[in-house]
Amino acid sequence: MLKLYDDELCGESYKVRLMLGLLGVPYERARIELYPSRQNAAPDFLAMNPLGTLPLLEAQGALLHDAHAILVYLARRYGGTDSGGAAHWLPLDDPLQLAYVQTWLGFAAQLSGVIFPMRTHVLHGAPLNDDAARHKARKLLRILDERCWFNEAGGTPFVCATAAPTVADVACFVPVALLDEAGIESIDYPALRRWSTRIKRLAGFTAMAGVYAAL
Amino acid sequence: MAAEERIERAWFALCDVDQLGDRAIYHTELLGRELVVWRAGDGTFNVWENRCPHRGVRLSLGHHRGEALQCQYHGWQFSSGSGACRFVPAHPDAAAPAVAVKTWPVEVHYGFVWTCLVAVGEVPPFAPIEELEDDASLAASEDADARSQVRSVRLRTVAIEAPGEAVQHALAGYCFDHARFDPWQASGCVTFDVAPHAVMIEQLDDAGQRVVFVVQPARAGRTYLHGVALGPFAEAERLSVQRHHQQRLNVMRDALEQQFDQREALSGEGLADQLPLCVPQTLSPAQPVMLQRSVSKPVGAPGLSGEKRSPVNPDMTDRAFDLYLSRSRRTLKVAAGVTVLQTLRNHGIDVPSSCEQGVCGTCRTRVIEGTPLHRDDFLTPQERAAGDCMLVCVSRAATGTLTLDL
């Protein structure tokens, strides 16, 4: 059985819970509280992950950190391999598509790197250069909104211009779903709203505090 | 309110109808008013104030229930068309309360949903944009050949952090190239105003390709720009046309925003040199929607709340009465058909309010003398009987004079 060390309110952890839910994989959870107790900085957790980051997945006797690495692992292990099943999560057979997935995972990392600190700033008062963060967030969100609009106009509504979602959709979805908690208005990004709603309607969608499934 | 005087009596485009498929809920803003736009299962388009009359939460956060929109907070459902509340999950067996979301007029033209922010009865007729009419009539033509040939292409709506007038002005320098779709080159173009908030740009070559832009002033310093490239285009050309204009619009947007950023930095006062279009009327700190005493106020069974209410339109048989304000020692006349809240506002006295339909309790005010004529759904029977407070948005006076603690 997989064991996930995570925090309910952590964005990176949510990416992994969402992926596990979408793939229908059962797992155990161990809560590591980030705020206020900072259990991730305790010696016993640092012994498992010296970076002290969440999430951490115990699988096949190994300890995996980095949410995006875990998404790739889960999609490859549980998402089906050949043409059938849920192989769309990680299109290994198509070199170009695989590169696109990597591109948009990188984009999701940039977006998360701006949105999550803004959210922590709003929720817990962590220090932040707010103007610079807002500017960067707007730039990235405009790119993603435009991307989603043209994907939909072309009949391939997911982030990598595919007809079915990939791990990059899961990775991009979480920072977008948490915009409100980061104090960023979503009113200027209607295409992101439509794409998010598509994700929220997928079978196995997992909610978190403030992020609900769509009807 | 002063802000309302600035609302222009004109129709504005809000969004492309294609954005409303798949039970979408579209959140937008016009002249500082937050709106929610959605299309019901029967095809009815709705443009509503984006605020649940119960607790003031944005309806755009809620769910599309086919023929109703459901608020995410307490699950109240509001019917397509009228905006009337049809169901309250906490009281499944009680009649729905007589409240409604504020609705705005809707028309659909040229593939866009349009609205006009004025009261029913004052809505001006939609002023057609001639340049788009030809295209619309051909698209609706009986002739299948004409239909397949003539296809205008609607562009992606662009959000720009600049005032509407500045965006419209900047369009004078807009140019494009439908022949080569080259992002860096464009042939000469000329711009015409075709309506108060719409411009047409025409290529100066033999082909004379045209595009029409329609401006949606969202709020002070923010504009949404809708566009239609006039055909004929083959279906296969659609994405190229959209991408070409997207690139050119992004360039225009970035240049405009840089200009306004610099102006802001120079002025030192932030947005000092941008006149507000209108004071945003939506969720402001003055309206503490989350911190009310009665979070899940039960919906009274019919007949239980005593007097019959007329929440939306003040009953014209309402009697006039005098209002004495004990703190400011002023006497105001409340005319028949005008609410206490409106009378107070007319005299510059600001009482916090939210739903203005007697549901939320925000405008609850202490009564010192006189007997209130309660018309709300908020107060308990005990509070009504005590008569020492009232909701000034809907309730009136049973006596000739009412003294309020204001």
Side-chain angles (χ1 to χ4, degrees):
Chain A
M1 172 85 96
L2 299 173
K3 184 170 182 183
L4 179 67
Y5 296 84
D6 75 335
D7 181 314
E8 175 66 30
L9 297 179
C10 154
E12 294 293 340
S13 297
Y14 177 44
K15 290 177 184 176
V16 172
R17 286 200 307 278
L18 181 53
M19 191 77 235
L20 286 162
L22 291 166
L23 292 168
V25 179
Y27 60 101
E28 257 181 80
R29 266 175 92 176
R31 187 178 181 200
I32 304 295
E33 189 183 82
L34 291 179
Y35 183 89
S37 60
R38 289 181 31 97
Q39 289 173 351
N40 59 314
D44 50 347
F45 185 75
L46 290 176
M48 293 192 289
N49 176 10
L51 288 170
T53 56
L54 289 180
L56 183 72
L57 184 74
E58 198 176 305
Q60 295 178 284
L63 286 167
L64 301 173
H65 65 87
D66 184 313
H68 294 186
I70 297 172
L71 296 187
V72 168
Y73 168 79
L74 293 172
R76 180 73 181 90
R77 184 162 174 215
Y78 300 102
T81 45
D82 300 325
S83 52
H88 59 82
W89 292 110
L90 190 67
L92 286 174
D93 296 338
D94 184 334
L96 210 48
Q97 279 302 338
L98 192 58
Y100 286 146
V101 167
Q102 193 55 52
T103 302
W104 289 98
L105 282 176
F107 180 92
Q110 279 199 55
L111 187 63
S112 305
V114 183
I115 304 295
F116 293 166
M118 289 177 81
R119 177 171 173 258
T120 314
H121 174 70
V122 171
L123 298 182
H124 308 312
L128 182 79
N129 178 348
D130 201 49
D131 277 354
R134 268 177 199 286
H135 211 264
K136 179 86 188 288
R138 187 177 79 177
K139 181 182 160 188
L140 294 173
L141 290 166
R142 281 177 166 177
I143 289 170
L144 190 59
D145 188 80
E146 188 179 320
R147 171 90 186 164
C148 286
W149 193 93
F150 278 97
N151 283 342
E152 192 176 27
T156 48
F158 292 97
V159 163
C160 298
T162 49
T166 70
V167 289
D169 287 282
V170 175
C172 288
F173 170 80
V174 175
V176 170
L178 296 174
L179 283 183
D180 199 38
E181 291 191 0
I184 297 176
E185 284 187 290
S186 54
I187 190 167
D188 287 346
Y189 312 110
L192 289 185
R193 166 68 185 259
R194 290 176 59 77
W195 160 77
S196 298
T197 302
R198 264 175 220 280
I199 307 285
K200 289 177 176 182
R201 285 179 180 154
L202 293 173
F205 178 84
T206 303
M208 82 170 264
V211 184
Y212 313 99
L215 295 171
Chain B
M1 255 192 305
E4 280 172 18
E5 291 162 19
R6 306 186 83 111
I7 295 290
E8 197 179 327
R9 295 184 60 214
W11 287 86
F12 291 92
L14 297 178
C15 75
D16 185 329
V17 292
D18 288 349
Q19 296 298 305
L20 300 178
D22 301 327
R23 287 179 292 128
I25 299 172
Y26 194 93
H27 179 193
T28 191
E29 205 169 18
L30 177 62
L31 300 165
R33 307 283 181 111
E34 267 196 52
L35 304 172
V36 59
V37 186
W38 62 287
R39 186 179 198 174
D42 67 359
T44 304
F45 289 94
N46 295 280
V47 176
W48 289 0
E49 182 180 35
N50 190 22
R51 160 218 267 300
C52 177
H54 176 217
R55 299 278 89 171
V57 168
R58 289 187 169 107
L59 287 169
S60 60
L61 298 170
H63 297 289
H64 191 306
R65 286 274 182 188
E67 306 305 325
L69 218 54
Q70 181 172 32
C71 179
Q72 178 72 56
Y73 197 17
H74 296 101
W76 288 33
Q77 294 187 14
F78 301 94
S79 297
S80 168
S82 65
C85 182
R86 69 169 197 184
F87 181 65
V88 173
H91 303 278
D93 300 325
V99 290
V101 180
K102 168 89 188 145
T103 64
W104 294 109
V106 191
E107 288 196 22
V108 175
H109 297 278
Y110 323 125
F112 295 101
V113 177
W114 300 68
T115 198
C116 180
L117 297 182
V118 302
V120 181
E122 293 169 32
V123 182
F126 182 83
I129 298 174
E130 211 177 300
E131 289 68 20
L132 295 173
E133 284 292 322
D134 295 350
D135 195 64
S137 64
L138 279 165
S141 157
E142 296 278 315
D143 182 357
D145 270 355
R147 276 208 310 274
S148 64
Q149 288 286 312
V150 181
R151 263 181 179 277
S152 64
V153 170
R154 290 194 296 280
L155 309 178
R156 174 172 173 263
T157 298
V158 180
I160 303 174
E161 301 279 343
E165 308 84 69
V167 172
Q168 202 160 332
H169 186 72
L171 284 168
Y174 188 83
C175 47
F176 59 96
D177 184 356
H178 282 174
R180 288 167 296 165
F181 299 121
D182 184 329
W184 313 116
Q185 305 259 329
S187 45
C189 290
V190 60
T191 304
F192 308 88
D193 284 336
V194 292
H197 301 281
V199 299
M200 183 178 74
I201 293 148
E202 185 166 347
Q203 247 179 278
L204 281 172
D205 56 11
D206 292 344
Q209 296 268 11
R210 293 174 301 164
V211 55
V212 174
F213 286 108
V214 184
V215 174
Q216 176 188 346
R219 70 171 83 152
R222 181 181 297 176
T223 305
Y224 299 129
L225 187 61
H226 310 282
V228 185
L230 300 182
F233 295 107
E235 172 58 25
E237 287 177 297
R238 181 173 55 91
L239 274 174
S240 308
V241 171
Q242 288 167 332
R243 287 217 163 87
H244 178 67
H245 284 284
Q246 187 66 54
Q247 285 166 328
R248 305 210 61 91
L249 287 168
N250 286 354
V251 171
M252 185 182 92
R253 174 196 68 196
D254 292 346
L256 258 174
E257 289 183 348
Q258 205 180 0
Q259 190 186 324
F260 278 90
D261 273 358
Q262 279 168 1
R263 227 186 261 188
E264 220 174 282
L266 285 174
S267 74
E269 288 280 303
L271 300 165
D273 55 348
Q274 296 175 44
L275 284 174
L277 287 164
C278 160
V279 177
Q281 246 224 330
T282 45
L283 306 173
S284 70
Q287 298 163 357
V289 293
M290 309 292 278
L291 300 172
Q292 300 291 320
R293 186 174 57 91
S294 161
V295 167
S296 61
K297 163 71 174 77
V299 178
L304 199 125
S305 47
E307 302 90 346
K308 192 182 175 320
R309 299 182 47 226
S310 54
V312 181
N313 293 312
D315 187 343
M316 291 311 288
T317 62
D318 282 341
R319 285 185 305 111
F321 59 97
D322 286 340
L323 200 61
Y324 180 67
L325 310 180
S326 67
R327 280 194 259 173
S328 50
R329 295 182 184 164
R330 293 169 68 181
T331 303
L332 309 178
K333 289 215 175 296
V334 180
V338 178
T339 65
V340 174
L341 182 65
Q342 190 57 49
T343 306
L344 291 167
R345 277 186 186 153
N346 292 346
H347 290 85
I349 299 155
D350 194 24
V351 176
S353 70
S354 180
C355 77
E356 300 187 12
Q357 298 180 56
V359 182
C360 75
T362 306
C363 67
R364 177 187 169 123
T365 304
R366 205 154 79 87
V367 176
I368 292 173
E369 223 177 308
T371 309
L373 182 62
H374 296 293
R375 289 191 167 164
D376 62 280
D377 256 339
F378 178 83
L379 299 176
T380 63
Q382 292 82 349
E383 288 170 325
R384 279 165 200 287
D388 59 358
C389 66
M390 68 186 284
L391 302 195
V392 295
C393 66
V394 291
S395 299
R396 304 184 65 83
T399 43
T401 307
L402 206 56
T403 303
L404 298 182
D405 184 20
L406 285 173

